[in-house]
Amino acid sequence: MTTTAANSNLFRDYIGAIFNGVKFTDVPINPKVRFDFILAFVIDYTTTTTPPSPTNGQFEIYWQNTVLTASAVASIKQSNPNVRVAVSLGGATVNDNPVFFNITSVDSWVANANLDGIDIDYEQFQVDPATFAECIGRLVTTLKSNGVIKFASIAPYDNADVQRHYQALWASYGSVIDYVNFQFYAYGASTTEEQYVGHFDDQIANYPGGNILASFTTAPTTTSVSINTSLNACQTLQSQGKLYGIFIWAADHSRSQGFKYDTQAQELLANAHSY
């Protein structure tokens, strides 16, 4: 880990959670960026019960895997050497029921959750921060040491309970977490560019040494930070040498906009000073 993240050209796009048929090949990919698709989500819950119930690390796919297939992953990577594909664990809900991080046994959870490249996006918890940190930290460490994954990220946002859990994870296992996909769009619609940059600096302090990514959402919402404010803040952060990368939630929403903002964000990153 570096002590201070510098500009880089990492772009990440979540994909698959909205079930609207979006394909990897729909998304414009700038060859001058490092591009990660993040499949959303795999969740250790089953929908065979009502409400859905946890499975202690037996993960099920909750993205549109009839479209975003294993062969589609192989194909997009083969045709775009700058593309990697990760999978996100967790998410907020299953069938509108909250998904809790709630495991029975640390050992069985780590053994069962044998996945590829991962992003951690649990947002509700029924365990204490230390248990969460140990489970996720050991999972990432094991998958990396076994060569199953090359990188891992976490996706916290500014909620006291969420931050407690992810900062505990960072304190114990930050050395094996490559990126912090901080959900800056979770701040309110009135957030200014200056406030956005201030929030970014707060997360640099909360996750010391981390590669913090700026972010925005292309979902049709009136309650999140605006896209233009976010992009302007990204330009400011880049001018300050702090824009390690940008991620977007989500390609599914961007499709109806012709991927306008995904393209703009990649163009900004393609001009990054360091690679």
Side-chain angles (χ1 to χ4, degrees), residues 36-120:
D36 289 348
F37 281 111
I38 306 175
L39 291 162
F41 295 93
V42 291
I43 310 175
D44 48 341
Y45 268 64
T46 178
T47 53
T48 58
T49 60
T50 304
S53 56
T55 59
N56 194 30
Q58 298 286 358
F59 281 81
E60 296 188 9
I61 290 173
Y62 285 89
W63 71 78
Q64 196 166 11
N65 65 326
T66 54
V67 177
L68 303 168
T69 61
S71 60
V73 170
S75 177
I76 198 70
K77 290 169 71 173
Q78 187 172 17
S79 55
N80 297 273
N82 58 323
V83 165
R84 305 182 298 183
V85 181
V87 63
S88 189
L89 279 63
T93 60
V94 173
N95 296 354
D96 298 322
N97 290 279
V99 169
F100 290 95
F101 182 84
N102 180 22
I103 47 80
T104 312
S105 157
V106 173
D107 293 316
S108 65
W109 195 86
V110 171
N112 289 337
N114 191 10
L115 304 165
D116 252 348
I118 60 172
D119 172 67
I120 307 299

Side-chain angles (χ1 to χ4, degrees), residues 114-219:
N114 191 10
L115 304 165
D116 252 348
I118 60 172
D119 172 67
I120 307 299
D121 190 31
Y122 284 100
E123 300 184 3
Q124 288 103 190
F125 310 90
Q126 291 177 332
V127 298
D128 62 278
T131 303
F132 175 73
E134 189 64 16
C135 285
I136 297 297
R138 284 177 56 187
L139 172 67
V140 172
T141 302
T142 300
L143 294 178
K144 277 194 163 184
S145 63
N146 290 345
V148 176
I149 61 169
K150 295 182 176 67
F151 59 94
S153 57
I154 56 175
Y157 62 98
D158 195 17
N159 165 278
D161 192 44
V162 168
Q163 290 280 60
R164 271 194 300 274
H165 283 77
Y166 282 96
Q167 285 177 275
L169 171 61
W170 187 259
S172 298
Y173 288 97
S175 61
V176 296
I177 297 165
D178 301 279
Y179 317 118
V180 180
N181 282 13
F182 198 85
Q183 299 180 44
F184 288 102
Y185 45 88
Y187 290 103
S190 63
T191 303
T192 65
E193 178 188 336
E194 185 179 21
Q195 288 171 327
Y196 189 113
V197 172
H199 293 320
F200 190 93
D201 289 338
D202 289 342
Q203 304 319 316
I204 290 176
N206 285 334
Y207 300 92
N211 294 318
I212 315 292
L213 273 69
S215 60
F216 58 89
T217 179
T218 53

Side-chain angles (χ1 to χ4, degrees), residues 1-5 204 207-210:
M1 287 194 312
T2 55
T3 50
T4 306
I204 290 176
Y207 300 92

